[in-house]
Amino acid sequence: MAVPLLDLRAQYAAIREEARAAFDRVADSQQLILGPEVEAFEREAAAYCGCRHALGCTSGTDAILMALMAAGVGPGDEVILPSFTFFATAGSVARLCAKPVFCDSDPLSLNLDVTLLHKLVTPRTRAIMPVHLYGQCVDMDPIFLFAREHKLAVIEDAAQAIGAEYKGRRAGSMGEAGCLSFYPTKNLGGFGDGGMVTCQDDALAQRLRMIRVHGSRKRYYHEIIGGNFRMDAIQGAILRIKLRRLDDWTAARQRNAARYNRLFQEAGVSMNGAEAAEFAVQCRKGVCTVENSGKLLLPMECAGGDRIALRTGEAPFAGHRHVYNQYIIRTGRREAVMAALKAAQVGFEIYYPVPLHEQECFKECGCRAGQLPVSECAARCSLALPIYPELAEAQQDEVVAALLHGLRGK
Ligand SMILES: *Cc1c(COP(=O)(O)O)cnc(C)c1O
């Protein structure tokens, strides 16, 4: 039995009747862009994320662009962001003729390494954009301390992390603005592209609202430069249906993650706490002990400071919520593991094979291969396994069996 990386058809089967009623409602109304469906979704999503304001837009990429535009980021400005993330985080900065300044990641969480920020700040730095990678929040308190000290805006790339929590606060509710994506592979996926900008400040919300429609408050009168970033009504209608189920789906993702961790531990193929700690020390120095050990590094839950644990049951820390958009293992035997998964028809993906500071288009950003060892090691070792909510235990057992087969070289 083949196991896909993600099974969107299984998810659709669960909402089919409601979704079809929503299609009809939108089609009959012929209110196709923004309108009551989007407004209702915005109210519900704002409440869910603990934000005063939420604006539906065209994609997660555009949400980032809008947030940067609203923050006034432009030519000559610098924005500190991780190298180990999806392209859009840095691409949006470059599109505004500002410079992405790439920061290395923490070896265990793979989120922005907050201890490196002081080395990257210059008089031109305008903002920091932490990315809550794979569905786990960045350690935000040190970022806010640093941002306050240097008068920087904090824009959260929460594209993979709707519903994730840091010290009881939800992703997207902490910085000046938060950016969500409803791309179909995200935990809350639409019927095509969609995104959202969240914020707490009324004036900023007003500015974002203008930016969404070519910078105008009154039609054909343009106070600032904006774009067409409007969300389609069908996305609002579908996302409202899915939002009501999101907590159940997240709980299923967390159960799947805990079960993978247990199975790999029982098989004796995962690094223990001491080995993981040693890995973290060495990885920062450019020595990847995962590559040399033959053992897996399982995804860690990092709740800030040195509070680090492996999920094997309920959440290991109060107020910390990892929503597992991806379940990422790291292995030095990735080629063999991928070959075994492929032979067993198990889906997998590499997020991300090339860190952004090594991308052709960012050659001029002044950061070279070899300078961000943790990002480079992650690009060589990480592998995403199926974690979607509908994944059955028997399917998960198949994934584990195939992976162990590849890992042990049998
Ligand atoms: C998906 C994603 C985006 C972009 O979202 P789209 O809706 O695909 O434009 C931005 N940042 C991160 C970290 C993402 O995972």
Side-chain angles (χ1 to χ4, degrees):
M1 182 176 49
V3 184
L5 181 63
L6 173 66
D7 188 353
L8 286 174
R9 277 182 296 194
Q11 192 189 63
Y12 181 59
I15 62 158
R16 192 164 187 274
E17 293 314 311
E18 266 184 274
R20 291 177 70 99
F23 296 145
D24 276 346
R25 212 166 55 233
V26 172
D28 289 339
S29 77
Q30 282 301 303
Q31 165 81 56
L32 300 175
I33 297 172
L34 297 176
E37 295 287 350
V38 171
E39 283 164 25
F41 173 58
E42 288 175 340
R43 279 193 299 277
E44 290 155 10
Y48 187 83
C49 295
C51 298
R52 263 175 76 76
H53 301 282
L55 280 91
C57 68
T58 27
S59 70
T61 303
D62 284 342
I64 296 170
L65 192 62
M66 287 172 68
L68 291 167
M69 288 169 81
V73 170
D77 292 337
E78 296 179 0
V79 178
I80 300 175
L81 43 78
S83 171
F84 195 65
T85 176
F86 181 61
F87 177 78
T89 316
S92 307
V93 171
R95 283 170 68 185
L96 293 170
C97 302
K99 179 178 162 189
V101 174
F102 295 111
C103 185
D104 211 359
S105 294
D106 172 80
L108 294 180
S109 68
L110 287 180
N111 272 329
L112 200 69
D113 187 342
V114 295
T115 66
L116 301 175
L117 294 175
H118 66 280
K119 295 185 182 171
L120 302 173
V121 72
T122 78
R124 292 176 299 280
T125 311
R126 277 295 288 272
I128 308 180
M129 192 151 42
V131 180
H132 306 310
L133 200 67
Y134 306 141
Q136 168 160 254
C137 286
V138 177
D139 187 5
M140 294 298 282
D141 283 346
I143 289 188
F144 287 122
L145 265 178
F146 187 84
R148 226 163 288 142
E149 189 186 334
H150 296 275
K151 298 194 169 34
L152 311 175
V154 177
I155 296 170
E156 295 172 67
D157 181 343
Q160 302 181 1
I162 185 167
E165 287 178 17
Y166 172 77
K167 299 188 179 177
R169 288 174 293 165
R170 291 236 154 149
S173 74
M174 296 177 272
E176 268 77 36
C179 307
L180 301 175
S181 166
F182 306 121
Y183 184 71
T185 65
K186 305 293 159 92
N187 285 18
L188 182 66
F191 239 74
D193 278 312
M196 181 163 265
V197 189
T198 54
C199 69
Q200 309 287 11
D201 183 74
D202 295 346
L204 181 61
Q206 180 60 34
R207 201 171 159 79
L208 287 163
R209 204 170 289 284
M210 285 164 61
I211 286 172
R212 183 167 65 175
V213 287
H214 295 296
S216 61
R217 214 183 306 240
K218 189 174 153 199
R219 229 176 172 183
Y220 306 121
Y221 293 80
H222 305 274
E223 296 167 48
I224 54 177
I225 306 286
N228 171 6
F229 299 122
R230 298 177 298 245
M231 176 179 265
D232 286 339
I234 189 65
Q235 303 306 341
I238 293 291
L239 288 165
R240 292 182 70 194
I241 296 167
K242 290 197 178 185
L243 183 61
R244 291 197 280 276
R245 289 167 169 81
L246 184 58
D247 284 337
D248 289 343
W249 289 337
T250 297
R253 286 174 181 274
Q254 292 169 336
R255 274 197 303 278
N256 292 342
R259 189 162 182 273
Y260 269 133
N261 290 345
R262 267 202 317 279
L263 293 173
F264 289 130
Q265 277 183 323
E266 284 164 14
V269 295
S270 58
M271 283 188 160
N272 62 30
E275 288 166 324
E278 178 61 13
F279 160 78
V281 171
Q282 296 297 330
C283 189
R284 282 199 169 93
K285 296 182 193 160
V287 180
C288 178
T289 57
V290 166
E291 276 173 308
N292 309 328
S293 84
K295 284 196 177 170
L296 302 180
L297 182 63
L298 302 177
M300 296 285 163
E301 298 218 1
C302 304
D306 50 11
R307 298 192 305 152
I308 291 158
L310 193 67
R311 177 184 286 259
T312 49
E314 294 306 300
F317 305 109
H320 179 79
R321 190 174 189 231
H322 188 329
V323 297
Y324 288 95
N325 176 239
Q326 301 295 347
Y327 179 88
I328 303 290
I329 56 153
R330 276 174 282 173
T331 169
R333 304 196 177 150
R334 191 167 69 178
E335 286 304 320
V337 166
M338 290 194 301
L341 293 174
K342 199 164 175 211
Q345 294 184 282
V346 170
F348 57 86
E349 186 62 80
I350 297 173
Y351 301 112
Y352 298 91
V354 184
L356 298 185
H357 70 284
E358 292 188 52
Q359 296 287 351
E360 174 82 24
C361 67
F362 292 134
K363 268 201 303 226
E364 307 307 316
C365 290
C367 192
R368 295 276 172 272
Q371 289 183 331
L372 303 182
V374 178
S375 300
E376 292 166 30
C377 165
R380 289 194 303 271
C381 296
S382 47
L383 190 66
L385 301 180
I387 187 73
Y388 60 91
E390 299 81 6
L391 184 73
E393 289 195 358
Q395 292 178 300
Q396 212 179 2
D397 294 341
E398 278 186 49
V399 177
V400 171
L403 190 145
L404 293 178
H405 191 74
L407 192 68
R408 289 168 172 156
K410 281 188 227 142

